[in-house]
């Protein structure tokens, strides 16, 4: 057996494994013998089928199995021995000449693979940079705005004729084709939104002059100042993949025009909002809302800190990748089919994620981090607590969750998810200890208007 390599490029190798009959025949003969002892063929006593016949029936399968094992082991050993830091998996190279696996005429075989490797890397000093841990102070105005929103949400909608500047509209959104017809199987959704939500003045004015049953065709991106997140999640409520392939032209039809009579601030509303007797006055309502906003901004501030730490690590760690190999690898290994253009467009994002995965694994190794069974279960329970119970649960519920978590963890995919969650927490504990993090007071207004920190990396 012989291994030869050539460099296709920096960090991109071609490995050729040449296999001789003497490398595989003894093993193959052995497995044919074993098979012969178990074979049942009418007309022969069990275990007494002539070797030639066993070879005919089972030989090629045995040979293919043995070759696969040999190749896998040889590649593994080669990677270990040369200490290569490989990315993804080795990719088989399709051979020009067809090699036939035929046990009747044993010959030598060549198997070629492409390997991608990444360079070695050092993690940056997290102490060299100052990170902010924001403490958001919530002004009176923020609390009052929140109360107004609740009064609208719990108010009465009365249908009216004309659109005023505080009207709420029931709108049917229909995706159009470039030729001005409704798109077959396009996006269609009915939403209740305020006329104020349209960001573009010109479009807002055009809509304001419509009556019930009338429609107008608009560019939805123009209407919302190209805020793709807002359009996707709040306005149309569709998935990202739907949003990627949709047309920007929509017909919007007015299905109803409403004036909202805001709910009164009274005990009835307080009970609806927080359960019976929990809040008894406007003063208590304000305290409650301030506390709830405080809690949610604490969470947002924390994820912003984690996003900043993540970005800093990614931006200040130098790892070289074999881009050509990776693009090929994504094309042939992606779960859903992708085009070369898509790979080209999303490659930046992909290599960022890949970098983060490598940093992630390095921190685990350097700090010998492990997740034990209890931590895994705790991660699953916490996640469910947040997702379904807003973080608050009673004793009986705790028992139920315990059982549910154990059940969930039987599923391999769920296990991996929760394992990564638990591990991510440990990794950030390590990162936070090493980083220079300063507490900073910030007003709610400044906090919500400083940059868009929506992105967060997740380990796969």
């Amino acid at each position: 057996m012989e291994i030869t390599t050539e460099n296709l490029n920096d960090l991109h190798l071609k490995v050729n494994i040449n296999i001789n009959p003497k490398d595989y025949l003894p093993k193959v003969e052995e497995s044919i013998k074993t098979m012969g002892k178990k074979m049942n063929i009418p007309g022969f006593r069990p275990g007494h089928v002539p070797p030639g016949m066993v070879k005919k029936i089972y030989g090629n399968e045995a040979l293919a199995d043995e070759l696969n094992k040999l190749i896998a082991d040889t590649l593994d050993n080669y990677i270990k021995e040369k200490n290569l830091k490989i990315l993804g998996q080795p990719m088989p190279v399709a051979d020009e000449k067809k090699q036939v696996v035929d046990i009747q005429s044993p010959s030598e075989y060549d198997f070629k693979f492409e390997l991608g490797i990444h360079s070695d890397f050092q993690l940056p000093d997290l102490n060299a940079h100052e990170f902010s841990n924001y403490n958001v102070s919530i002004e009176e105005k923020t609390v009052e705005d929140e109360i107004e929103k609740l009064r609208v949400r719990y108010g009465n909608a009365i249908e009216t004729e004309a659109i005023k500047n505080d009207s709420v509209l029931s709108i049917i959104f229909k995706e159009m084709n470039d030729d001005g017809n409704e798109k077959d199987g396009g996006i269609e959704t009915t939403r209740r939104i305020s006329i104020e939500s349209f960001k573009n003045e010109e479009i807002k004015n055009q809509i304001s002059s419509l009556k019930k049953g009338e429609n107008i065709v608009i560019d939805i991106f123009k209407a919302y100042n190209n805020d793709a997140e807002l359009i996707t999640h709040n306005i149309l409520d569709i998935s990202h993949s739907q949003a990627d392939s949709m047309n920007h032209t929509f017909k919007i039809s007015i299905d109803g025009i409403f004036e909202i009579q805001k709910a009164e601030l009274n005990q009835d509303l307080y009970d609806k909002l927080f359960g019976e007797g929990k809040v008894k006055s406007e003063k208590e309502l304000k305290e409650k809302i301030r506390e709830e906003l405080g809690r949610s901004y604490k969470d947002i501030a924390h994820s912003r800190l984690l996003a900043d730490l993540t970005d800093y690590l990614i931006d200040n760690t130098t790892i070289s990748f074999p881009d050509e190999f990776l693009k090929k690898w994504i094309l042939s290994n992606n779960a859903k089919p992708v085009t070369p253009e898509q790979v080209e467009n999303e490659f930046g994002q992909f290599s960022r994620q890949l970098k983060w995965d490598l940093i992630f694994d390095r921190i685990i190794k350097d700090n010998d981090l492990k997740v034990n069974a209890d931590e895994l279960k705790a991660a699953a329970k916490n996640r469910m607590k947040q997702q379904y119970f807003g973080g608050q649960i009673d004793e009986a519920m705790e028992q139920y969750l315990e059982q549910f978590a154990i059940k969930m963890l039987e599923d391999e995919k769920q296990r991996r998810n929760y394992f990564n969650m638990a591990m991510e927490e440990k990794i950030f504990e390590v990162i936070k200890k090493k980083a220079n993090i300063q507490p900073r007071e910030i007003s709610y207004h400044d906090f919500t208007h400083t940059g868009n920190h929506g992105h967060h990396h997740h380990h796969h």
Side-chain angles (χ1 to χ4, degrees):
M1 186 152 50
E2 201 190 348
I3 300 180
T4 49
T5 60
E6 57 169 308
N7 284 337
L8 295 177
N9 218 322
D10 244 10
L11 307 174
H12 186 177
L13 306 175
K14 194 184 213 169
V15 177
N16 184 44
I17 302 175
N18 175 271
I19 298 179
N20 264 310
K22 64 174 193 313
D23 298 322
Y24 61 78
L25 273 181
K27 279 264 173 53
V28 177
E29 301 288 354
E30 206 171 294
S31 83
I32 290 174
K33 250 199 213 101
T34 316
M35 201 54 204
K37 294 194 179 109
K38 299 182 199 148
M39 253 174 137
N40 266 329
I41 293 186
F44 296 98
R45 300 209 320 280
H48 288 267
V49 182
M53 199 161 175
V54 179
K55 194 175 197 170
K56 231 199 187 91
I57 296 172
Y58 178 67
N60 285 348
E61 200 181 320
L63 173 55
D65 280 353
E66 183 52 35
L67 287 175
N68 282 333
K69 268 216 289 286
L70 250 178
I71 295 162
D73 292 349
T74 308
L75 262 179
D76 268 359
N77 292 334
Y78 179 76
I79 290 165
K80 280 204 189 76
E81 186 188 309
K82 295 272 184 262
N83 193 10
L84 302 177
K85 301 175 179 53
I86 76 159
L87 293 164
Q89 280 90 31
M91 268 172 62
V93 178
D95 227 332
E96 308 76 71
K97 58 178 205 307
K98 200 74 197 100
Q99 306 193 87
V100 185
V101 173
D102 180 8
I103 190 64
Q104 303 300 343
S105 57
S107 53
E108 57 174 75
Y109 295 104
D110 276 313
F111 294 99
K112 298 183 173 57
F113 292 90
E114 286 184 40
L115 305 187
I117 328 168
H118 65 82
S119 63
D120 202 3
F121 60 94
Q122 245 35 70
L123 294 181
D125 174 10
L126 284 160
N127 215 1
H129 179 83
E130 191 173 296
F131 298 92
S132 300
N133 189 12
Y134 291 109
N135 182 22
V136 182
S137 60
I138 293 157
E139 302 102 71
E140 187 67 17
K141 175 162 181 349
T142 311
V143 176
E144 280 165 8
D145 288 348
E146 200 58 32
I147 291 176
E148 282 307 288
K149 278 185 207 153
L150 289 170
R151 288 184 60 194
V152 169
R153 192 180 309 154
Y154 287 88
N156 272 331
I158 299 150
E159 193 149 358
T160 60
E161 286 295 306
I163 297 178
K164 301 199 192 60
N165 56 12
D166 59 355
S167 295
V168 167
L169 310 176
S170 172
I171 294 183
I172 305 167
F173 287 88
K174 275 195 183 138
E175 186 181 355
M176 306 293 276
N177 275 330
D178 294 332
D179 60 13
N181 294 316
E182 290 177 15
K183 183 168 165 185
D184 252 2
I187 293 162
E188 180 173 334
T189 178
T190 302
R191 294 238 100 14
R192 268 198 181 192
I193 53 180
S194 69
I195 180 75
E196 287 174 341
S197 74
F198 289 97
K199 299 279 182 271
N200 178 293
E201 283 305 318
E202 181 192 345
I203 291 178
K204 190 193 282 186
N205 291 336
Q206 288 174 319
I207 295 172
S208 295
S209 62
L210 299 176
K211 301 245 178 306
K212 182 172 177 172
E214 297 182 335
N215 62 58
I216 172 183
V217 173
I218 63 165
D219 175 335
I220 194 162
F221 275 79
K222 190 173 164 198
Y224 291 102
N225 289 350
N226 292 318
D227 188 338
E229 285 294 301
L230 177 78
I231 294 167
T232 308
H233 297 303
N234 303 16
I235 307 298
L236 297 174
D237 191 25
I238 52 177
S239 70
H240 276 283
S241 60
Q242 279 175 295
D244 286 341
S245 59
M246 82 180 184
N247 214 323
H248 286 196
T249 324
F250 272 73
K251 178 195 280 179
I252 56 178
S253 316
I254 307 294
D255 196 35
I257 303 169
F258 303 93
E259 183 185 329
I260 302 294
Q261 276 184 333
K262 294 181 185 167
E264 291 295 317
L265 287 181
N266 55 24
Q267 197 54 47
D268 185 38
L269 178 66
Y270 304 152
D271 289 351
K272 261 189 210 150
L273 289 172
F274 298 107
E276 204 133 328
K278 293 261 194 257
V279 165
K280 296 194 187 60
S281 65
E282 192 176 338
K283 184 163 174 285
E284 285 180 18
L285 172 70
K286 285 185 170 174
E287 277 164 21
K288 190 87 175 153
I289 286 177
R290 183 180 291 275
E291 174 193 323
E292 291 206 339
L293 285 174
R295 234 204 323 269
S296 73
Y297 287 115
K298 209 185 177 75
D299 288 347
I300 298 170
H302 186 244
S303 20
R304 190 177 288 188
L305 171 64
L306 300 190
D308 288 344
L309 289 163
T310 305
D311 284 341
Y312 182 82
L313 278 167
I314 295 175
D315 294 335
N316 296 281
T317 303
T318 311
I319 310 179
S320 319
F321 292 133
D323 292 358
E324 286 322 301
F325 170 83
L326 281 178
K327 286 173 189 170
K328 252 190 199 168
W329 191 76
I330 301 168
L331 266 177
S332 63
N333 282 282
N334 214 39
K336 55 179 204 308
V338 284
T339 64
E341 292 79 58
Q342 280 170 304
V343 173
E344 214 37 74
N345 287 336
E346 286 166 30
F347 189 69
Q349 234 173 325
F350 173 83
S351 41
R352 250 186 113 70
Q353 180 63 51
L354 187 55
K355 211 168 170 187
W356 177 239
D357 288 347
L358 291 169
I359 293 169
F360 200 97
D361 293 335
R362 168 68 59 89
I363 294 171
I364 293 175
K365 221 157 88 200
D366 286 353
N367 299 278
D368 197 21
L369 302 179
K370 294 191 173 48
V371 171
N372 64 33
D374 286 343
E375 291 166 327
L376 195 57
K377 200 165 63 187
K381 273 165 63 175
N382 274 334
R383 175 78 188 162
M384 289 186 269
K385 228 185 265 189
Q386 291 309 331
Q387 236 173 341
Y388 305 117
F389 308 101
Q392 315 282 320
I393 59 170
D394 58 12
E395 282 293 296
M397 216 52 228
E398 186 75 52
Q399 286 303 306
Y400 165 74
L401 260 189
E402 177 84 7
Q403 295 313 309
F404 193 46
I406 292 170
K407 191 101 203 85
M408 291 281 274
L409 290 171
E410 285 168 9
D411 175 53
E412 175 54 33
K413 198 166 156 226
Q414 296 280 5
R415 269 185 83 85
R416 232 194 352 263
N417 271 340
Y418 289 122
F419 176 84
N420 280 336
M421 270 178 214
M423 196 46 107
E424 191 167 84
E425 226 167 89
K426 295 196 162 195
I427 282 179
F428 278 116
E429 285 314 304
V430 169
I431 294 174
K432 285 195 289 197
K433 278 203 188 78
K434 293 188 194 297
N436 171 13
I437 300 173
Q438 300 302 329
R440 277 183 60 187
E441 294 292 322
I442 189 173
S443 75
Y444 160 80
H445 175 274
D446 290 348
F447 181 72
T448 48
H449 290 79
T450 45
N452 171 18
H453 284 74
H455 55 288
H456 194 59
H457 300 267
H458 280 291
H459 186 71
H460 302 304

